[in-house]
Every structure is written in structure tokens, then in C-alpha cells.
Amino acid sequence: MDTETAGRKPGARRRGVATAALLAAALTASLAAGCTTTDRPADDGRSTGRTPTRTGPSPTGVSASVLAVKIDNAESARPQTGIDAADVVYVEQVEGGLSRLMAVYATQLPKAVGPVRSARESDLELLRQFEQPLLAFSGAQGRLLPLINKAPLKAVTPEDASGAYYRGTDKPAPHNLFLRPNRLLPSAPGPAALTTGFHYGAAPSGGTAQTSRTVRYPAARFTFTWSGSRARWLVSMDGTATVTTDGKRVAPATVVVQYVKLRTSAFRDFLGNNTPYTETVGSGKAQVLRDGKAYDVNWKRPTAADGTRFTTEDGKQVAFARGQVWIVFAKA
């Protein structure tokens, strides 16, 4: 996917997607034991290791586009596993000003991904750009589960596919739940499944030289530092270099700081903190970082079924560098 544009209407844009043969079974005894509630509260109160009962059809035997995995980003969850293999990583603000990641996989599937954590209402709107995506998560508020069941996606929790999840031993619960993607998909669906609206190709003209960019949430901080030798942006979180569990530095080719509206939702955590709803449909300003430069651009996503277009002031679509993309949602 070099210079072509993804993100067209469903049907015309979503062909060549692999058919997934998902495993669905009852929880094994060991997983059930690993999913019991602990005395330690979760960082957001959504899940302390137990997956709430979710109604609706089993995801077995459905066609799948991308695999989206909710990734824990609490300090106790780091370093994470498999996020360097994602095609797109979305960063969202959650309760208490903390952050959570959603990693989207289409061109390759790592052996493991995690730690896996709970879903949010905003995820449902964000994932509408894909046709029947698989959403792997560990749980959600009981009042949110009916919305997940109605959404045009295939939710895959440990109770849906127990053989695809396992508990690690190097982190405390609830930060130790991991996913084996190849237990859900026989192979990566391929770049045609990335109906994000992103455009890849040569760098646009102009731009401002930029060696570092920091985005702050009330209780989280992300810094992206340009590495000329690697031609990538090195990620740091809360002042610490971001690496995976196998020691690889996380380094996307393109970083987008997308300014969006954050509104109050109907959900709160166990401390009473409201869950902010990140509005990804609409339009606004953004900054694209690639090749050691920053480009001030506009973004537009007309409906939830559309991808997002990033354009210059004269309306030309901005091309991203080939490689991983990080989208950081910041308050407009």
C-alpha cells in the first residue's frame, strides 16, 4: 500500500479480507483460576482480572478484517508485548487522565500481544472504519456490554476463546493477561484490511524541522524523538524509553497528534471518575510527524464508516511514511 488511499465506502474498499476460523470454547480451569478477582484494584476500575458475562453470538467462523487489541498502559503493565508489530497504535485518554492503547494488526501477527485490558465506548466508534474487526479485550462495564454486542464487530474475550489467552508470570494481575493472535486468525488479513483513510508515499513539501514532540494528558506523557539513523520516532512514556518485553525500542515511522473533542460519557470508574468519550468523527486540526519534520494539517472523518483524511490547507492529502503509525488523540 504505497500511494493508494484506503478508507472508501464499505464493499468497494473492503475486499480480499481473509476468513478467520476463530476458536471458541469454555474457559479452561487454569485460565479461570487466573481470571479471579484480586484484592488489588485495577488502574481504572474496569476489570480486576474478571471478564464480565457478555451475551451475543460467538465469534467462531466469521469473516474478519483487522485485529484490534486493547493494551494496558499503566506503569505496572510495561513493558508491553507485541505493540511493535502493529500497523497502527491509537492512544486515548481514559479515567483519571491516564492512557490506554489500541493496537491494530493487519500485515503481521506477533506471537503474543498484551497485557490485554478492558474496552471503552469510544472504541466502538473508532472501529467502525473497519468491516467486522475482531476486538480483543478483557472486559468492560456491565452497562457497556450491550453496546459492544450491538456494534458491527466481533468481540473476543477470554470466555469466547480461552485457548487464545494466557496469564503471564512476570506481572501482577490484572496486568498479566496476554493474547496469542494466531489462535484467532490463521494469518494476517493483509494491507487491504486497513481501511483507515491513511495515504502513504513521499513526504509533502514544506513542514518544520522537529526533533522532539511531547503530548501530555493529565496523568500521562508521551514524547516522540526523531532518530535520523533509524528514520523513526523513538517513543517514550512518562519520561522512560518505551521498549517491548524482548528489548526492542518502539519506533513508529509516522506520528499523528490529532486534536479531538473529549466529552463526558455515561460511564464512571469505581472512584467516580468519568470516562471521557473521544470523538473521532468530525473534523479538526492535527500535526503529522514524519522524516524529522512536523506538518500542521486538517483532519476529517465524515461518518463512523469512513476512514480519516489528513490534508494540507489547500486540500491535498498528506502522505505518511511507510511503516507503523501512532495516532495520539489530544484534547482540542
Side-chain angles (χ1 to χ4, degrees):
M1 194 164 71
D2 292 343
T3 59
E4 63 268 24
T5 301
R8 305 196 183 280
K9 292 295 182 181
R13 67 181 179 180
R14 294 162 176 167
R15 297 191 177 97
V17 178
T19 299
L22 303 182
L23 300 176
L27 285 172
T28 60
S30 60
L31 182 59
C35 289
T36 55
T37 303
T38 68
D39 293 332
R40 294 171 58 97
D43 61 305
D44 59 3
R46 279 300 182 279
S47 170
T48 53
R50 182 186 299 278
T51 301
T53 301
R54 185 180 64 81
T55 61
S58 167
T60 306
V62 299
S63 296
S65 57
V66 300
L67 170 64
V69 186
K70 291 308 301 286
I71 305 293
D72 194 347
N73 199 35
E75 185 177 355
S76 298
R78 303 171 189 160
Q80 292 109 338
T81 300
I83 61 173
D84 56 321
D87 294 282
V88 184
V89 175
Y90 292 100
V91 182
E92 62 182 344
Q93 183 177 321
V94 292
E95 302 80 14
L98 296 169
S99 64
R100 186 150 294 178
L101 311 179
M102 179 188 287
V104 176
Y105 300 86
T107 61
Q108 58 179 323
L109 298 177
K111 292 182 179 179
V113 179
V116 181
R117 286 303 300 275
S118 54
R120 296 294 184 278
E121 185 183 9
S122 303
D123 302 334
L124 307 183
E125 179 179 275
L126 182 59
L127 289 173
R128 283 284 306 279
Q129 64 189 301
F130 307 110
E131 184 164 352
Q132 292 295 305
L134 299 182
L135 173 59
F137 64 102
S138 64
Q141 279 194 3
R143 292 190 300 122
L144 178 58
L145 291 174
L147 300 181
I148 296 175
N149 292 334
K150 294 177 182 178
L153 54 79
K154 298 300 176 181
V156 186
T157 65
E159 65 183 5
D160 297 314
S162 61
Y165 290 87
Y166 68 94
R167 289 283 176 183
T169 59
D170 60 338
K171 294 181 175 68
H175 312 291
N176 63 349
L177 181 66
F178 294 86
L179 173 73
R180 299 182 181 93
N182 63 0
R183 300 289 182 92
L184 300 181
L185 292 170
S187 61
L194 286 172
T195 51
T196 55
F198 302 165
H199 183 69
Y200 298 83
S205 59
T208 303
Q210 185 105 22
T211 58
S212 183
R213 177 72 161 86
T214 296
V215 180
R216 290 180 171 84
Y217 290 171
R221 184 172 84 253
F222 296 83
T223 298
F224 304 92
T225 303
W226 176 248
S227 170
S229 61
R230 295 190 57 180
R232 291 291 187 270
W233 296 90
L234 305 180
V235 182
S236 297
M237 298 181 187
D238 302 325
T240 302
T242 301
V243 297
T244 59
T245 48
D246 55 2
K248 295 181 180 178
R249 187 73 186 269
V250 178
T254 304
V255 176
V256 180
V257 182
Q258 183 176 344
Y259 294 98
V260 298
K261 294 179 181 178
L262 295 180
R263 63 172 172 81
T264 301
S265 76
F267 301 95
R268 295 181 180 275
D269 67 9
F270 73 106
L271 294 175
N273 297 313
N274 187 264
T275 302
Y277 187 100
T278 302
E279 296 189 2
T280 57
V281 171
S283 60
K285 299 293 184 181
Q287 189 174 65
V288 174
L289 307 177
R290 62 162 294 176
D291 302 331
K293 287 187 175 183
Y295 300 85
D296 293 323
V297 303
N298 300 313
W299 70 267
K300 186 174 183 180
R301 187 183 177 202
T303 72
D306 294 306
T308 306
R309 288 174 57 89
F310 296 90
T311 59
T312 58
E313 290 297 330
D314 58 3
K316 294 181 179 179
Q317 192 164 10
V318 176
F320 294 172
R322 298 173 184 88
Q324 187 179 77
V325 178
W326 276 51
I327 306 290
V328 184
F329 295 121
K331 185 177 181 180

